[in-house]
Amino acid sequence: MKTDDVWLLGRAWSTPGGFVRGARLVFRALGGVVRGQRLVGIGVALATSFCKAVVLGQQVPLWLNSPLEDLVVDGDRVVGVRIRRDGRTVTIRAERGVMLAGGGFEHNRDWRQKHHGIDGSPSGNPGNVGGPIEIAQRAGAAVELMDEAWWGASVAAPAGGTPAFIVGERSMPYSLMTDAAGNRFANESESYVDLGHHMLEHDRDGAYWLIADARHARRYLRTFALDPRQNKAMREAGIMVKARSVAELAGRLGMEPARLRATVERFNGFARAGVDGDFGRGNSAYDRYYGDPTVRPNPNLGPLERGPFTAFKVVIGDLGTKGGVVTDADGRALREDGSVIEGLYSAGNNSASVMGRTYPGPGSTIGPATVFGLRAARHMARA
Ligand SMILES: Cc1cc2nc3c(=O)[nH]c(=O)nc-3n(C[C@H](O)[C@H](O)[C@H](O)COP(=O)(O)OP(=O)(O)OC[C@H]3O[C@@H](n4cnc5c(N)ncnc54)[C@H](O)[C@@H]3O)c2cc1C
C-alpha cells in the first residue's frame, strides 16, 4: 500500500475512484505473490529504501539489537557512543558527530504519567522508552514539549493488542463520537492532534465511543475491524458493542438512552442541513479529504438512522511523543543557555518537534525527521 492509497481505500465501496484504487492494490499484491516478491508499503517501504541506499549503496554496517547506553564526551564535545552488543559494551569513536534518532518515549509509563498524567495508548515502536533523550540530558541537552504528543483517537485494544489509531473511520459520514455520557464533544473529522487535545481537555480519564450506523459498516473501510478473530476479541472485551436501536445501544454502553437519542437526533438534523452547528465538522479542506464526496450536502455528515448500530470504545491514543532534545536548524543539540553541544545531533521524535503543539498536515513527523537528519549529516560532513 502506498501512502496516497490510504484516503481513497477508505471509500473503496462508495466511490468509483476508491474502488479502482482498491482493485489496483489487490492486483499489485497478487502480482507480488505470483513473482515471489515480498512487497512492503507505507512506512516500511520508506525505511526499506533508506536501508537500501545506506546499507547496500554506501556499504554502511547496520547493527540491530545494539542499544545506545551512553555518549562518550571529551571536554565539551561528544566524540562517540557506548552501545550494548552481544552482551558487551562496545565503544565507537565518532569524529564528525553522533546523531540521536531513537524515537520518543511513548512506551515509558513512568514518563507518561509524569509528563502527560496518563499511561497513554501508543501506536509507536515498543522500543521507544526515551533512552536517547535521557542520555542527551545527561550530556547537558535542554528538552522541551515533554507534555506533548502526536495525540489522536485510537480504538482500544483487547488484552495484549495494540490500540488502532483511527483517522478516516471517524471522519466518514454516518458516524459520530461521544463521551462516556453520550455527548458529542468535538469535530470528529479534525486533525488527530486537535482531536487528542480536545479529548484530553474534555475528559482525560473517561471512555469515548465511536458510534456508527449500518451504512458506515457497509461502505467504509474500518482497518481495525477486518479480522473476524479480532472482532470476536473486541466484542468479548466490550470494545465493540452492537444493538438494533440507539436506545438499546445506550443501555449497553451504560448511557442514559434519552441522552444518546438526543445527541443522535441533533446530529442527524445537522447532517440533513449539511452544517454541523456545534463543531463545524466538514468545514475545512482537511475534514473533507477524509470524507465521502457522494454524500451530500456535507461529505463528512450522514445521519445515523439505519440499524444495527455499532459502537467502538475509543481511547486517547498517539503516534509517538513530541518532546525531546532542543536543536538548532542543523539538528545540533542545544543546552538550556542556547549554546551548542559540539558533536551531538538529534532528529525525529527524540527532538522537541519543530511543529510545536500543532499538526499542520500529513508528514509532520517524518518530514522534519528527514529534513533535519539530512541537514545534520551535511553539517557533520562540513565540520
Ligand atoms: C500507525 C502510524 C502511522 C503513522 N503515519 C504517519 C504518516 O502518515 N506521516 C508521518 O509523517 N508520520 C506518521 N507516523 C509517525 C512516524 O512514523 C513517527 O513519528 C516516526 O517514525 C518517528 O521516527 P523516529 O526515527 O523519530 O523514531 P522511530 O521510527 O520510532 O524509531 C526509533 C527507533 O529507535 C529505537 N531505539 C529506542 N531507544 C534506543 C536506544 N537506546 N538505542 C538504539 N535504538 C533505540 C527504537 O527501537 C526504534 O526502532 C505514523 C506512526 C504510526 C504509529
Side-chain angles (χ1 to χ4, degrees):
M1 192 190 290
K2 299 176 184 175
T3 303
D4 186 41
D5 289 334
V6 176
W7 69 299
L8 271 177
L9 284 177
R11 47 193 204 224
W13 298 120
S14 61
T15 64
F19 184 80
V20 169
R21 194 61 74 94
R24 271 169 43 191
L25 171 69
V26 170
F27 282 114
R28 194 159 60 231
L30 287 176
V33 173
V34 170
R35 288 196 297 270
Q37 294 173 328
R38 191 180 151 230
L39 300 182
V40 292
I42 46 176
V44 185
L46 179 71
T48 305
S49 58
F50 284 157
C51 281
K52 183 169 178 245
V54 172
V55 181
L56 299 181
Q58 304 288 324
Q59 309 290 311
V60 175
L62 172 67
W63 292 357
L64 300 174
N65 301 316
S66 311
L68 174 73
E69 285 190 335
D70 213 346
L71 297 167
V72 181
V73 181
D74 185 359
D76 275 351
R77 190 181 169 85
V78 172
V79 293
V81 290
R82 269 190 278 282
I83 59 157
R84 194 86 192 146
R85 189 157 195 241
D86 297 333
R88 295 183 304 122
T89 297
V90 178
T91 301
I92 304 172
R93 296 282 300 183
E95 302 302 335
R96 301 277 180 162
V98 171
M99 158 72 77
L100 299 176
F105 61 90
E106 57 266 26
H107 285 277
N108 184 328
R109 282 270 163 97
D110 291 344
W111 282 26
R112 296 298 304 252
Q113 275 298 344
K114 180 174 161 198
H115 297 292
H116 299 154
I118 55 173
D119 282 354
S121 299
S123 298
N125 189 306
N128 292 347
V129 291
I133 299 174
E134 196 175 11
I135 290 166
Q137 281 183 291
R138 283 208 298 270
V143 295
E144 268 178 14
L145 292 173
M146 295 296 277
D147 59 335
E148 270 295 346
W150 296 100
W151 299 114
S154 293
V155 170
T162 306
F165 201 80
I166 50 172
V167 181
E169 294 91 339
R170 60 175 162 78
S171 190
M172 289 297 187
Y174 313 114
S175 69
L176 56 78
M177 280 180 70
T178 73
D179 60 15
N183 302 300
R184 276 183 84 213
F185 60 94
N187 166 9
E188 296 87 344
S189 300
E190 67 189 349
S191 88
Y192 46 81
V193 171
D194 288 343
L195 183 62
H197 282 149
H198 284 136
M199 292 169 80
L200 284 160
E201 282 160 21
H202 184 77
D203 187 356
R204 188 171 287 255
D205 302 311
Y208 289 93
W209 294 95
L210 171 68
I211 299 176
D213 91 351
R215 283 168 295 185
H216 187 275
R218 205 173 54 240
R219 291 165 70 112
Y220 308 126
L221 181 70
R222 293 165 165 178
T223 48
F224 52 85
L226 293 175
D227 176 355
R229 276 171 313 175
Q230 170 80 358
N231 290 352
K232 184 166 177 276
M234 286 203 293
R235 272 197 304 275
E236 285 169 2
I239 293 167
M240 182 179 178
V241 181
K242 258 191 184 185
R244 277 161 308 177
S245 70
V246 170
E248 187 187 330
L249 187 69
R252 297 213 172 143
L253 301 180
M255 296 171 185
E256 189 56 51
R259 176 71 262 149
L260 185 61
R261 259 208 322 262
T263 298
V264 170
E265 275 162 24
R266 186 173 170 79
F267 180 82
N268 288 354
F270 292 153
R272 285 186 203 103
V275 179
D276 175 5
D278 285 338
F279 301 107
R281 179 169 168 181
N283 286 357
S284 73
Y286 180 92
D287 292 5
R288 291 192 294 273
Y289 183 78
Y290 291 111
D292 181 348
T294 65
V295 174
R296 294 190 179 90
N298 185 323
N300 298 103
L301 296 178
L304 281 78
E305 50 199 5
R306 297 199 195 154
F309 298 88
T310 314
F312 295 94
K313 188 174 197 170
V314 173
V315 292
I316 302 171
D318 62 80
L319 296 179
T321 49
K322 273 191 172 196
V325 178
V326 180
T327 60
D328 70 3
D330 288 312
R332 295 186 297 172
L334 302 178
R335 298 187 184 86
E336 288 288 353
D337 64 6
S339 61
V340 170
I341 303 177
E342 297 294 339
L344 185 61
Y345 298 79
S346 170
N349 283 352
N350 57 199
S351 303
S353 173
V354 70
M355 301 303 177
R357 299 186 183 277
T358 64
Y359 173 80
S364 295
T365 58
I366 289 175
T370 315
V371 168
F372 287 105
L374 179 64
R375 287 187 64 89
R378 284 188 174 153
H379 190 273
M380 283 186 217
R382 284 198 305 271

